[in-house]
mmCIF file of all heavy atoms in Angstrom:
data_model
loop_
_atom_site.group_PDB
_atom_site.id
_atom_site.type_symbol
_atom_site.label_atom_id
_atom_site.label_comp_id
_atom_site.label_asym_id
_atom_site.label_seq_id
_atom_site.Cartn_x
_atom_site.Cartn_y
_atom_site.Cartn_z
ATOM 1 N N VAL K 27 163.991 93.117 188.800
ATOM 2 C CA VAL K 27 165.244 92.355 188.739
ATOM 3 C C VAL K 27 165.130 91.080 189.559
ATOM 4 O O VAL K 27 165.521 89.992 189.106
ATOM 5 C CB VAL K 27 166.416 93.224 189.239
ATOM 6 C CG1 VAL K 27 167.675 92.383 189.399
ATOM 7 C CG2 VAL K 27 166.680 94.373 188.273
ATOM 8 N N MET K 28 164.595 91.186 190.787
ATOM 9 C CA MET K 28 164.461 89.995 191.620
ATOM 10 C C MET K 28 163.460 89.016 191.024
ATOM 11 O O MET K 28 163.696 87.800 191.012
ATOM 12 C CB MET K 28 164.053 90.388 193.042
ATOM 13 C CG MET K 28 163.882 89.194 193.987
ATOM 14 S SD MET K 28 165.386 88.176 194.165
ATOM 15 C CE MET K 28 166.271 89.148 195.394
ATOM 16 N N ARG K 29 162.348 89.512 190.534
ATOM 17 C CA ARG K 29 161.365 88.614 189.916
ATOM 18 C C ARG K 29 161.969 87.899 188.706
ATOM 19 O O ARG K 29 161.721 86.704 188.494
ATOM 20 C CB ARG K 29 160.115 89.394 189.507
ATOM 21 C CG ARG K 29 159.258 89.818 190.680
ATOM 22 C CD ARG K 29 157.942 90.445 190.235
ATOM 23 N NE ARG K 29 157.115 90.827 191.370
ATOM 24 C CZ ARG K 29 156.321 90.009 192.052
ATOM 25 N NH1 ARG K 29 156.217 88.736 191.658
ATOM 26 N NH2 ARG K 29 155.610 90.438 193.073
ATOM 27 N N GLY K 30 162.760 88.615 187.938
ATOM 28 C CA GLY K 30 163.397 87.982 186.785
ATOM 29 C C GLY K 30 164.356 86.886 187.198
ATOM 30 O O GLY K 30 164.441 85.836 186.541
ATOM 31 N N ALA K 31 165.094 87.111 188.292
ATOM 32 C CA ALA K 31 166.033 86.095 188.777
ATOM 33 C C ALA K 31 165.294 84.866 189.298
ATOM 34 O O ALA K 31 165.707 83.722 189.047
ATOM 35 C CB ALA K 31 166.919 86.689 189.872
ATOM 36 N N ILE K 32 164.190 85.086 190.025
ATOM 37 C CA ILE K 32 163.418 83.949 190.536
ATOM 38 C C ILE K 32 162.795 83.168 189.385
ATOM 39 O O ILE K 32 162.743 81.928 189.408
ATOM 40 C CB ILE K 32 162.336 84.444 191.516
ATOM 41 C CG1 ILE K 32 162.985 85.048 192.767
ATOM 42 C CG2 ILE K 32 161.383 83.314 191.911
ATOM 43 C CD1 ILE K 32 162.005 85.729 193.710
ATOM 44 N N ALA K 33 162.333 83.881 188.354
ATOM 45 C CA ALA K 33 161.688 83.217 187.222
ATOM 46 C C ALA K 33 162.631 82.271 186.489
ATOM 47 O O ALA K 33 162.179 81.335 185.813
ATOM 48 C CB ALA K 33 161.135 84.263 186.261
ATOM 49 N N LYS K 34 163.937 82.495 186.600
ATOM 50 C CA LYS K 34 164.909 81.603 185.940
ATOM 51 C C LYS K 34 165.087 80.283 186.678
ATOM 52 O O LYS K 34 165.677 79.342 186.132
ATOM 53 C CB LYS K 34 166.254 82.314 185.827
ATOM 54 C CG LYS K 34 166.247 83.506 184.886
ATOM 55 C CD LYS K 34 167.608 84.206 184.857
ATOM 56 C CE LYS K 34 167.575 85.429 183.961
ATOM 57 N NZ LYS K 34 168.887 86.148 183.962
ATOM 58 N N LEU K 35 164.594 80.205 187.926
ATOM 59 C CA LEU K 35 164.719 78.968 188.685
ATOM 60 C C LEU K 35 163.644 77.981 188.243
ATOM 61 O O LEU K 35 162.516 78.381 187.933
ATOM 62 C CB LEU K 35 164.559 79.239 190.183
ATOM 63 C CG LEU K 35 165.480 80.270 190.825
ATOM 64 C CD1 LEU K 35 165.119 80.449 192.298
ATOM 65 C CD2 LEU K 35 166.930 79.851 190.691
ATOM 66 N N PRO K 36 163.949 76.704 188.244
ATOM 67 C CA PRO K 36 162.895 75.713 187.955
ATOM 68 C C PRO K 36 161.842 75.741 189.052
ATOM 69 O O PRO K 36 162.176 75.778 190.244
ATOM 70 C CB PRO K 36 163.646 74.372 187.953
ATOM 71 C CG PRO K 36 165.095 74.713 187.836
ATOM 72 C CD PRO K 36 165.264 76.065 188.461
ATOM 73 N N ASP K 37 160.571 75.763 188.672
ATOM 74 C CA ASP K 37 159.525 75.666 189.678
ATOM 75 C C ASP K 37 159.711 74.380 190.480
ATOM 76 O O ASP K 37 160.057 73.330 189.929
ATOM 77 C CB ASP K 37 158.146 75.645 189.019
ATOM 78 C CG ASP K 37 157.648 77.038 188.665
ATOM 79 O OD1 ASP K 37 158.420 77.995 188.835
ATOM 80 O OD2 ASP K 37 156.501 77.157 188.204
ATOM 81 N N GLY K 38 159.481 74.464 191.783
ATOM 82 C CA GLY K 38 159.620 73.277 192.609
ATOM 83 C C GLY K 38 159.818 73.632 194.062
ATOM 84 O O GLY K 38 159.865 74.809 194.439
ATOM 85 N N ASP K 39 159.910 72.584 194.877
ATOM 86 C CA ASP K 39 160.165 72.727 196.306
ATOM 87 C C ASP K 39 161.567 72.221 196.610
ATOM 88 O O ASP K 39 161.928 71.113 196.187
ATOM 89 C CB ASP K 39 159.151 71.929 197.131
ATOM 90 C CG ASP K 39 157.721 72.440 196.975
ATOM 91 O OD1 ASP K 39 157.518 73.413 196.216
ATOM 92 O OD2 ASP K 39 156.822 71.869 197.611
ATOM 93 N N TYR K 40 162.330 72.998 197.349
ATOM 94 C CA TYR K 40 163.721 72.671 197.655
ATOM 95 C C TYR K 40 163.907 72.745 199.171
ATOM 96 O O TYR K 40 163.773 73.813 199.769
ATOM 97 C CB TYR K 40 164.666 73.637 196.948
ATOM 98 C CG TYR K 40 164.406 73.749 195.461
ATOM 99 C CD1 TYR K 40 163.640 74.796 194.938
ATOM 100 C CD2 TYR K 40 164.892 72.786 194.582
ATOM 101 C CE1 TYR K 40 163.394 74.889 193.578
ATOM 102 C CE2 TYR K 40 164.652 72.874 193.215
ATOM 103 C CZ TYR K 40 163.899 73.924 192.721
ATOM 104 O OH TYR K 40 163.650 74.005 191.368
ATOM 105 N N THR K 41 164.189 71.607 199.786
ATOM 106 C CA THR K 41 164.255 71.523 201.239
ATOM 107 C C THR K 41 165.659 71.162 201.695
ATOM 108 O O THR K 41 166.330 70.316 201.086
ATOM 109 C CB THR K 41 163.258 70.475 201.767
ATOM 110 O OG1 THR K 41 161.934 70.854 201.401
ATOM 111 C CG2 THR K 41 163.327 70.355 203.293
ATOM 112 N N ALA K 42 166.102 71.798 202.754
ATOM 113 C CA ALA K 42 167.413 71.503 203.339
ATOM 114 C C ALA K 42 167.306 71.595 204.858
ATOM 115 O O ALA K 42 166.498 72.347 205.393
ATOM 116 C CB ALA K 42 168.475 72.480 202.828
ATOM 117 N N THR K 43 168.147 70.828 205.519
ATOM 118 C CA THR K 43 168.207 70.831 206.981
ATOM 119 C C THR K 43 169.658 70.941 207.423
ATOM 120 O O THR K 43 170.531 70.260 206.876
ATOM 121 C CB THR K 43 167.610 69.539 207.568
ATOM 122 O OG1 THR K 43 166.246 69.422 207.155
ATOM 123 C CG2 THR K 43 167.665 69.546 209.090
ATOM 124 N N THR K 44 169.923 71.808 208.361
ATOM 125 C CA THR K 44 171.198 71.813 209.083
ATOM 126 C C THR K 44 170.863 71.852 210.574
ATOM 127 O O THR K 44 169.691 71.860 210.963
ATOM 128 C CB THR K 44 172.091 73.011 208.707
ATOM 129 O OG1 THR K 44 171.502 74.216 209.197
ATOM 130 C CG2 THR K 44 172.300 73.102 207.201
ATOM 131 N N HIS K 45 171.883 71.877 211.405
ATOM 132 C CA HIS K 45 171.665 71.889 212.847
ATOM 133 C C HIS K 45 172.551 72.943 213.500
ATOM 134 O O HIS K 45 173.645 73.248 213.015
ATOM 135 C CB HIS K 45 171.993 70.527 213.464
ATOM 136 C CG HIS K 45 171.046 69.441 213.061
ATOM 137 N ND1 HIS K 45 171.114 68.817 211.821
ATOM 138 C CD2 HIS K 45 170.008 68.861 213.727
ATOM 139 C CE1 HIS K 45 170.157 67.905 211.740
ATOM 140 N NE2 HIS K 45 169.480 67.909 212.879
ATOM 141 N N ILE K 46 172.052 73.483 214.607
ATOM 142 C CA ILE K 46 172.888 74.315 215.465
ATOM 143 C C ILE K 46 173.255 73.518 216.707
ATOM 144 O O ILE K 46 172.540 72.607 217.114
ATOM 145 C CB ILE K 46 172.207 75.636 215.852
ATOM 146 C CG1 ILE K 46 170.882 75.395 216.594
ATOM 147 C CG2 ILE K 46 171.993 76.504 214.630
ATOM 148 C CD1 ILE K 46 170.262 76.648 217.183
ATOM 149 N N ASP K 47 174.392 73.893 217.295
ATOM 150 C CA ASP K 47 174.813 73.228 218.529
ATOM 151 C C ASP K 47 173.767 73.386 219.626
ATOM 152 O O ASP K 47 173.479 72.438 220.360
ATOM 153 C CB ASP K 47 176.121 73.837 219.060
ATOM 154 C CG ASP K 47 177.285 73.647 218.130
ATOM 155 O OD1 ASP K 47 177.189 72.829 217.200
ATOM 156 O OD2 ASP K 47 178.306 74.350 218.334
ATOM 157 N N GLY K 48 173.217 74.602 219.730
ATOM 158 C CA GLY K 48 172.480 74.902 220.939
ATOM 159 C C GLY K 48 173.436 74.839 222.116
ATOM 160 O O GLY K 48 174.549 75.369 222.065
ATOM 161 N N PHE K 49 173.037 74.140 223.130
ATOM 162 C CA PHE K 49 173.871 73.983 224.331
ATOM 163 C C PHE K 49 174.307 72.518 224.412
ATOM 164 O O PHE K 49 173.590 71.673 224.951
ATOM 165 C CB PHE K 49 173.105 74.432 225.567
ATOM 166 C CG PHE K 49 172.792 75.902 225.560
ATOM 167 C CD1 PHE K 49 171.693 76.391 224.858
ATOM 168 C CD2 PHE K 49 173.618 76.800 226.205
ATOM 169 C CE1 PHE K 49 171.415 77.744 224.834
ATOM 170 C CE2 PHE K 49 173.349 78.170 226.186
ATOM 171 C CZ PHE K 49 172.250 78.634 225.491
ATOM 172 N N LEU K 50 175.471 72.235 223.857
ATOM 173 C CA LEU K 50 175.928 70.851 223.735
ATOM 174 C C LEU K 50 176.141 70.187 225.083
ATOM 175 O O LEU K 50 176.108 68.952 225.178
ATOM 176 C CB LEU K 50 177.220 70.802 222.913
ATOM 177 C CG LEU K 50 177.086 71.190 221.436
ATOM 178 C CD1 LEU K 50 178.458 71.256 220.781
ATOM 179 C CD2 LEU K 50 176.187 70.208 220.688
ATOM 180 N N ASP K 51 176.377 70.981 226.125
ATOM 181 C CA ASP K 51 176.600 70.412 227.444
ATOM 182 C C ASP K 51 175.306 70.293 228.253
ATOM 183 O O ASP K 51 175.339 69.949 229.435
ATOM 184 C CB ASP K 51 177.622 71.240 228.230
ATOM 185 C CG ASP K 51 177.266 72.726 228.278
ATOM 186 O OD1 ASP K 51 176.350 73.149 227.553
ATOM 187 O OD2 ASP K 51 177.919 73.459 229.047
ATOM 188 N N SER K 52 174.161 70.573 227.630
ATOM 189 C CA SER K 52 172.893 70.495 228.347
ATOM 190 C C SER K 52 172.323 69.083 228.282
ATOM 191 O O SER K 52 172.318 68.448 227.215
ATOM 192 C CB SER K 52 171.870 71.468 227.750
ATOM 193 O OG SER K 52 170.590 71.271 228.321
ATOM 194 N N PRO K 53 171.805 68.557 229.399
ATOM 195 C CA PRO K 53 171.152 67.238 229.363
ATOM 196 C C PRO K 53 169.768 67.277 228.734
ATOM 197 O O PRO K 53 169.184 66.223 228.457
ATOM 198 C CB PRO K 53 171.068 66.868 230.856
ATOM 199 C CG PRO K 53 171.010 68.184 231.566
ATOM 200 C CD PRO K 53 171.855 69.125 230.757
ATOM 201 N N ASP K 54 169.255 68.489 228.504
ATOM 202 C CA ASP K 54 167.913 68.642 227.940
ATOM 203 C C ASP K 54 167.985 68.546 226.414
ATOM 204 O O ASP K 54 168.587 69.406 225.759
ATOM 205 C CB ASP K 54 167.338 69.998 228.349
ATOM 206 C CG ASP K 54 165.881 70.170 227.930
ATOM 207 O OD1 ASP K 54 165.394 69.370 227.124
ATOM 208 O OD2 ASP K 54 165.248 71.133 228.415
ATOM 209 N N PRO K 55 167.379 67.518 225.805
ATOM 210 C CA PRO K 55 167.456 67.375 224.339
ATOM 211 C C PRO K 55 166.781 68.506 223.585
ATOM 212 O O PRO K 55 167.040 68.690 222.393
ATOM 213 C CB PRO K 55 166.752 66.033 224.083
ATOM 214 C CG PRO K 55 165.864 65.833 225.272
ATOM 215 C CD PRO K 55 166.584 66.449 226.432
ATOM 216 N N LYS K 56 165.940 69.284 224.255
ATOM 217 C CA LYS K 56 165.290 70.402 223.584
ATOM 218 C C LYS K 56 166.165 71.646 223.534
ATOM 219 O O LYS K 56 165.742 72.689 223.013
ATOM 220 C CB LYS K 56 163.971 70.734 224.284
ATOM 221 C CG LYS K 56 162.932 69.620 224.161
ATOM 222 C CD LYS K 56 161.614 70.025 224.807
ATOM 223 C CE LYS K 56 160.570 68.937 224.641
ATOM 224 N NZ LYS K 56 159.264 69.323 225.250
ATOM 225 N N LYS K 57 167.390 71.535 224.075
ATOM 226 C CA LYS K 57 168.305 72.681 224.077
ATOM 227 C C LYS K 57 169.579 72.424 223.293
ATOM 228 O O LYS K 57 170.429 73.317 223.201
ATOM 229 C CB LYS K 57 168.654 73.071 225.514
ATOM 230 C CG LYS K 57 167.486 73.622 226.304
ATOM 231 C CD LYS K 57 167.880 74.016 227.717
ATOM 232 C CE LYS K 57 166.681 74.576 228.473
ATOM 233 N NZ LYS K 57 167.007 74.909 229.878
ATOM 234 N N SER K 58 169.750 71.228 222.748
ATOM 235 C CA SER K 58 170.989 70.935 222.022
ATOM 236 C C SER K 58 170.692 70.215 220.716
ATOM 237 O O SER K 58 169.658 69.550 220.572
ATOM 238 C CB SER K 58 171.927 70.081 222.884
ATOM 239 O OG SER K 58 171.382 68.803 223.097
ATOM 240 N N ARG K 59 171.616 70.409 219.755
ATOM 241 C CA ARG K 59 171.546 69.746 218.443
ATOM 242 C C ARG K 59 170.172 69.963 217.799
ATOM 243 O O ARG K 59 169.452 69.027 217.487
ATOM 244 C CB ARG K 59 171.879 68.262 218.573
ATOM 245 C CG ARG K 59 173.246 68.030 219.216
ATOM 246 C CD ARG K 59 173.624 66.570 219.340
ATOM 247 N NE ARG K 59 174.920 66.434 219.988
ATOM 248 C CZ ARG K 59 176.103 66.535 219.382
ATOM 249 N NH1 ARG K 59 176.136 66.758 218.070
ATOM 250 N NH2 ARG K 59 177.230 66.407 220.038
ATOM 251 N N LEU K 60 169.870 71.228 217.568
ATOM 252 C CA LEU K 60 168.534 71.627 217.135
ATOM 253 C C LEU K 60 168.476 71.821 215.623
ATOM 254 O O LEU K 60 169.355 72.477 215.037
ATOM 255 C CB LEU K 60 168.138 72.926 217.839
ATOM 256 C CG LEU K 60 168.180 72.862 219.376
ATOM 257 C CD1 LEU K 60 167.955 74.243 219.965
ATOM 258 C CD2 LEU K 60 167.165 71.878 219.903
ATOM 259 N N PRO K 61 167.439 71.290 214.965
ATOM 260 C CA PRO K 61 167.361 71.406 213.502
ATOM 261 C C PRO K 61 166.828 72.748 213.035
ATOM 262 O O PRO K 61 165.944 73.350 213.655
ATOM 263 C CB PRO K 61 166.384 70.277 213.127
ATOM 264 C CG PRO K 61 165.498 70.139 214.333
ATOM 265 C CD PRO K 61 166.383 70.426 215.521
ATOM 266 N N LEU K 62 167.417 73.225 211.942
ATOM 267 C CA LEU K 62 166.876 74.341 211.173
ATOM 268 C C LEU K 62 166.457 73.786 209.827
ATOM 269 O O LEU K 62 167.272 73.182 209.117
ATOM 270 C CB LEU K 62 167.922 75.443 210.986
ATOM 271 C CG LEU K 62 168.518 76.072 212.242
ATOM 272 C CD1 LEU K 62 169.578 77.096 211.856
ATOM 273 C CD2 LEU K 62 167.451 76.701 213.116
ATOM 274 N N VAL K 63 165.200 73.950 209.476
ATOM 275 C CA VAL K 63 164.654 73.373 208.246
ATOM 276 C C VAL K 63 164.144 74.495 207.355
ATOM 277 O O VAL K 63 163.392 75.369 207.808
ATOM 278 C CB VAL K 63 163.518 72.374 208.548
ATOM 279 C CG1 VAL K 63 162.989 71.766 207.248
ATOM 280 C CG2 VAL K 63 164.008 71.265 209.483
#
């Protein structure tokens, strides 16, 4: 069933990015506004 559902999708690469807050009050840029890709 899952293979059949995937097979209906067009072959290709689909990329999206969102962000999490992390620690918005932190001065460290590696702890806030972090991307999920």
